[in-house]
Amino acid sequence: MIGDLLAIWQADTAFPSGAFAFSNGLEGLAALERGLPADRLEVVIEGALRRRWATADRVALLGAYARAGDMDAVAVIDREVEATTLCEAFRTGSRRNGAGLLAAHARIGTPGAAALQALVRSGDTPGHLAVAQGVVWRGAGLERDGAVLASGYIVASGFATAAVRLGLVGAVAAQAVVRRLLPVVAELAATDPPERIESFAPLLDIAAARHARGELRLFSN
Amino acid sequence: MTQSRHDWPSLVASRSDAPAPPRASAARIGVGGPVGSGKTALIEALIPALHRRGVDLAVVTNDLVTKEDAERLRRSGLIAPERVLAVEAGACPHTVIREDPTLNMAAGDDLEAAFPGLELVIFESGGDNLASTFSLDLVDWWIFVIDVAGGDDIPRKKGPGVLKSDLLVVNKTDLAPHVGVDLPRMLAEADAVRGGRPVVATNARSGAGVEDVADAIAHAVLFRE
């Protein structure tokens, strides 16, 4: 049971990691001329889960989890994330969110957190979120499947929470969206990951790139 | 699978043995308070006062929707622009200083790494209401700034910021006669609700009271008299 509890602990938004400050493209989509109707929110999140999380974030997470004891191998995966993340706002956001997660786990004393944090601070590796999750969640004792589910849940929940703060949907309606997407997370988590990181979510990339130039914004990306 | 409370799995190897969990070496203080109470103006006045005391410092701002406060400080000429970092608050000024201060913690770490010898990092909260408080994960000591134009009933409302801050600053004292505020009574009520913790009256624009705030910081977290 402890494996399940550890995954719940890390998926809980009460765990401080800085994730609340990132809309991952949603604020940019909402700012488009036609806006983002509430009924499109679910489609956007599902697209991000299928075309970015399952094929990119999850692959990096699993790689870092499997090689958590070898920081050189972890750094290779981290650089692959850096190279394959097209949008600068997503690269920066992922690094900052990763630094936030590492800051919390380093204070807690999670094995691996201080070591990866030191590498990031010295500039030896970028410290992307999915990579940091793989290392510290392995160190914290999460099981592989629990780590994948926590990661996918955080993506769905993070979009829904950002949508509430952007005024796109009510807090209760947002949880109905999350509930409908849970089977998608479960389905994707059960599939074999691709060998290499790949991602295709151009609308979110463009929205985030436009957002990065905006003067007024609530979220970091 | 069972696991005792203290049983960390040793799945992550060796390099974690070298660095201990990081300890902040620079003192970290917070400046919070309602929108428009004068937090940025107070920091602008404090920077030269602290520089005169030889304090090596940097600032992190938490603007709500822009980088206005960070840009204002960067352009002020008071501090090197690279010593001012902006952290977006994700629409939640409370969260970024209390429930989830990790982005601010990381920004403080970045400043310490960039400026060896840094002694003080000032975290300016985004403008908020009377309920905001700083997490002690983030800061060692914090100031709450209110102003007379916000109403002389603010101390009586006993918001957590007024009650729990290490130092309460009542700013814009020069406006008291113009907004019908009995300043001595407002300060006395602030003293009464704070149970002996200090209250300083300031006019950040003229500099009145700013030296007292700088002294309080130097005494509380820099151990200087």
Side-chain angles (χ1 to χ4, degrees):
Chain A
M1 295 300 285
I2 190 69
D4 294 342
L5 278 172
L6 288 166
I8 291 169
W9 175 52
Q10 286 302 293
D12 185 354
T13 54
F15 190 91
S17 71
F20 72 94
F22 304 94
S23 84
N24 290 312
L26 201 64
E27 186 170 25
L29 275 187
L32 295 178
E33 201 168 313
R34 63 182 179 211
L36 182 66
D39 59 355
R40 288 284 300 166
L41 177 65
E42 187 171 334
V43 176
V44 168
I45 303 175
E46 181 168 351
L49 285 168
R50 289 189 182 281
R51 297 180 182 276
R52 194 166 65 201
W53 173 71
T55 59
D57 303 337
R58 182 177 64 125
V59 180
L61 166 78
L62 286 168
Y65 183 94
R67 298 168 185 80
D70 179 353
M71 284 295 167
D72 292 333
V74 167
V76 170
I77 299 163
D78 211 4
R79 285 193 286 273
E80 190 181 346
V81 175
E82 179 80 8
T84 54
T85 308
L86 176 67
C87 179
E88 197 271 343
F90 287 146
R91 284 198 305 277
T92 307
S94 171
R95 288 197 301 260
R96 289 185 58 210
N97 201 167
L101 184 71
L102 288 175
H105 277 282
R107 290 272 182 111
I108 291 172
T110 302
L116 182 55
Q117 187 183 48
L119 285 182
V120 175
R121 282 192 189 158
S122 64
D124 291 341
T125 195
H128 284 287
L129 176 64
V131 172
Q133 286 171 335
V135 171
V136 300
W137 288 355
R138 180 88 186 257
L142 273 74
E143 291 162 3
R144 181 183 179 280
D145 291 350
V148 171
L149 290 175
S151 160
Y153 178 80
I154 285 170
V155 170
S157 160
F159 273 115
T161 307
V164 172
R165 276 185 273 149
L166 288 165
L168 300 174
V169 65
V172 176
Q175 290 308 312
V177 172
V178 173
R179 173 63 187 91
R180 288 195 293 273
L181 289 171
L182 290 179
V184 176
V185 175
E187 170 210 323
L188 293 169
T191 61
D192 289 333
E195 291 272 317
R196 302 289 301 267
I197 292 170
E198 56 190 53
S199 148
F200 185 72
L203 193 59
L204 285 172
D205 282 346
I206 294 166
R210 286 168 56 95
H211 176 265
R213 292 173 174 272
E215 281 295 310
L216 295 175
R217 52 195 218 196
L218 295 170
F219 291 88
S220 184
N221 71 13
Chain B
M1 177 180 175
T2 59
Q3 187 176 33
S4 77
R5 191 183 298 178
H6 304 291
D7 179 23
W8 289 103
S10 54
L11 298 169
V12 179
S14 55
R15 286 201 196 185
S16 62
D17 299 340
R23 298 281 306 165
S25 56
R28 299 182 178 200
I29 67 169
V31 178
V35 176
S37 62
K39 296 179 293 301
T40 310
L42 178 65
I43 291 170
E44 285 173 329
L46 279 171
I47 290 169
L50 291 165
H51 280 164
R52 282 195 294 278
R53 287 164 174 76
V55 179
D56 188 338
L57 64 92
V59 182
V60 178
T61 68
N62 292 168
D63 283 316
L64 190 57
V65 292
T66 66
K67 295 192 175 183
E68 176 105 10
D69 289 345
E71 288 304 318
R72 177 171 155 185
L73 287 169
R74 284 176 183 143
R75 290 174 184 157
S76 67
L78 298 167
I79 186 169
E82 60 272 21
R83 284 174 176 259
V84 181
L85 292 185
V87 169
E88 290 92 344
C92 294
H94 279 46
T95 306
V96 77
I97 62 167
R98 190 174 59 203
E99 282 83 359
D100 186 350
T102 52
L103 295 176
N104 275 322
M105 287 160 60
D109 293 347
D110 288 346
L111 285 167
E112 284 192 48
F115 301 103
L118 193 67
E119 295 174 278
L120 180 69
V121 183
I122 301 173
F123 292 89
E124 181 187 353
S125 167
D128 206 334
N129 57 34
L130 299 179
S132 66
T133 56
F134 277 86
S135 162
L136 293 182
D137 287 331
L138 178 63
V139 299
D140 306 300
W141 187 90
W142 58 285
I143 300 171
F144 197 72
V145 184
I146 60 175
D147 74 284
V148 299
D152 58 2
D153 55 347
I154 287 184
R156 290 199 300 274
K157 290 182 177 172
K158 297 182 181 176
V162 170
L163 297 185
K164 295 186 176 177
S165 56
D166 294 295
L167 177 69
L168 179 69
V169 167
V170 180
N171 192 29
K172 304 186 188 179
T173 51
D174 56 315
L175 296 183
H178 306 294
V179 291
V181 165
D182 180 343
L183 181 61
R185 194 180 76 184
M186 185 177 178
L187 294 173
E189 288 180 350
D191 277 332
V193 299
R194 282 176 55 76
R197 273 183 293 188
V199 179
V200 173
T202 63
N203 174 358
R205 293 222 165 197
S206 73
V210 172
E211 293 296 329
D212 293 338
V213 179
D215 283 341
I217 294 167
H219 177 74
V221 298
L222 301 171
F223 309 111
R224 296 182 191 178
E225 294 306 322

